Each structure stands twice: as structure tokens, then as C-alpha cells.
Amino acid sequence: MKNIKIIHILLLLVFITSCNDDEAPIYVPDELEESTDLIDVYFKDNFLEPYGTAVRWRWDDKLVDNSKRVTPIKREFCIPMGNFIKNFWIAPFEKTEDGKSFIYELFPPEVMLIGSPMYNSDGESITLGYADAGVRITFTQVNEYDLGNPDWVLMQLRTAEHEFGHIVHQNYNLPNGLKEVTPANYKSNNWLNLAGDVQQSNPRISREAISLGMVSNYGTSDVNEDFCELLSIYITSEVAEFEERYLTHEPEEIIKLDDGTEIEPNADAVEVNKGRDFIAIKLKLVKDYYWEKFKIDLDVLRDEIVFRLKNPNNPNGDKSDK
């Protein structure tokens, strides 16, 4: 038994020595075979290589909250959605060198595509998309892809711009002074209780929200959502449309027409006009922030985006073709 123990010890010493040998074999992991699937090749060429962005289109339930019920994206909508993201979201920024640098630096490392709506636990609202700590942006309702449907186009683009706004403030903070404009007017989850008409792309926008100094009901939830809603709605709206709804004061007293007819003002006109003044202050702060930090003129960006919204089948957004 003693001899056997000695042999075991010698074998152990040999093993330890061999592990420290400079000529010991090094583990080399197997090379993963690159996918030749046309969809994977498309996303590699158009997103992974230029921006370092992985587009998740294959179903992975680990990337979706277990409390949500969603449907995967259909194959036939993958490449069209990729083109939509390029032409409506990325390309307007890349019209300038500073915009190119902005997109290259902040474009999310991951984009996830989901086919169906994503209903929240309240049973009333749906998540149009979300940004995860500046890493991933998720699009929903992609199986409804239709460039001929302005509601769908605007919903998806506003989702992109809203969630991208979160990535911007997560990296660079909010514009200086924005938190101080309407600090007492945020409603947290009570934003769901605000009444309001449903606008194009389905945001709920009430006069109460405007009177609080926000451009949508959801914007009243907190200052981060306020920033992202203001940004996304402003750069996707025509000038006259935005000004009429959010900036221009309405009459606060009775108006008498030449024929003697009297027009009564809205009962909440004074409060709504005060809210519009708050929105104007915030808008200037956001515009100055984008120009001073990134040399991006939001008015120029808006004009480019609105042109593309009016010409959804012009993939290059070439105004000379108008």
C-alpha cells in the first residue's frame, strides 16, 4: 500500500509539472460558422459592421419580460423594417457630419424586433418600444409593417426617436434647467388617468397635459419621459401643426365677430396657455442642448424627417425628386 501511495504522489507531481509546462496545449474555442441566412447577412452588412449594432429578430424569450405576451416578427418583415430604420431614423441624422458622429457614438448596440403589440400589466396601455439602459431598443407591432399607413409609420418613428432620447440623456444627462421648469406637475403612473383625444400614432394628448406643460399624457409621468416625448413629437411634426397645438395662445376672453356673434373661450384657456409657455421654454432648452452638445439643429433635422414622412416610398429622401 505504501508503494502504491508513493506512485500516486509521483503521478500527481508529474501532472502538476505538465500543467505548468510552457509547451502545454492551449485551449482554442471552436470557430462559430457565420450564418448565410439572407436576413442575418443583411443585418450584418447594414447594422453590425457600420454601427456595431446586433439586430435581434430570432425569437429569444430571455429578452422579453415574462409578464408580457408578444408574437415574434415574421421573416418577410425583417429586411423591410431594417430599411425603415435606416431611411427614417438614421439617414436624417447622417445628412451632416456632426449627425453622423452622433449616430455612430450613440446608436444602440442592440435593436430587437417584435411582431405584435406588447400589453402592460395595467391591461390598458401598450408598450410601443423601450430602451434598456442605453443598450437595446425594442420595436413592437412590426408585423403590421405598412409604409402606406401614416399611423404605423409615425408610431414606429416616434418610438425610435423617443427611445433614442433615453439613450441620449442616459449618456449626457438632461438639458440644464429642464427639471426646474415644471417640477411639481409630474404625475407618475397617474398619467393613465388623464383624459384626452387620441392623435395620429396613438399618443394620448389632453388639454390637461398641455396645461401641465407637457406635449402628451405620457410626458407627465416624469421629467425623462417629458424630454423624450417633447423631442420625438417635435422632430416628427410639421411646423404649423406643432405650433398650433403646443405653442400658440388661444383666446382667453369672448371674441365678438362683425356680425355680432360671440365666441366663448374654452373654460381652461388660461391654464392651457400657461402650459404652452412652459412647453416653449422646454423646447428652447432642448434645442440649445442638441446644438451646444452635438451641433445638431433640431429644426433642420425635423424638416428632413417630415419630408420623408410625406414621401415614404422615396427611400433616399432626395428632395430633388419631390
Side-chain angles (χ1 to χ4, degrees), residues 256-312:
K256 293 184 178 181
L257 302 180
D258 293 339
D259 62 2
T261 304
E262 293 186 349
I263 300 177
E264 295 281 346
N266 289 306
D268 59 354
V270 173
E271 290 76 14
V272 171
N273 286 340
K274 287 180 179 178
R276 289 180 170 127
D277 290 340
F278 287 137
I279 291 172
I281 293 170
K282 293 177 184 179
L283 181 59
K284 185 179 186 308
L285 291 173
V286 173
K287 285 184 176 183
D288 291 347
Y289 170 82
Y290 267 79
W291 179 250
E292 291 166 5
K293 282 193 176 293
F294 312 112
K295 290 298 181 285
I296 291 175
D297 186 328
L298 288 186
D299 289 345
V300 173
L301 179 65
R302 175 204 57 207
D303 291 346
E304 182 64 34
I305 289 173
V306 169
F307 172 82
R308 289 167 184 262
L309 289 171
K310 290 181 177 179
N311 300 272

Side-chain angles (χ1 to χ4, degrees), residues 229-246:
E229 284 289 273
L230 176 57
L231 173 68
S232 63
I233 290 177
Y234 180 72
I235 63 176
T236 58
S237 298
E238 294 194 50
V239 177
E241 174 194 358
F242 188 91
E243 289 184 350
E244 179 182 2
R245 181 179 294 277
Y246 297 114

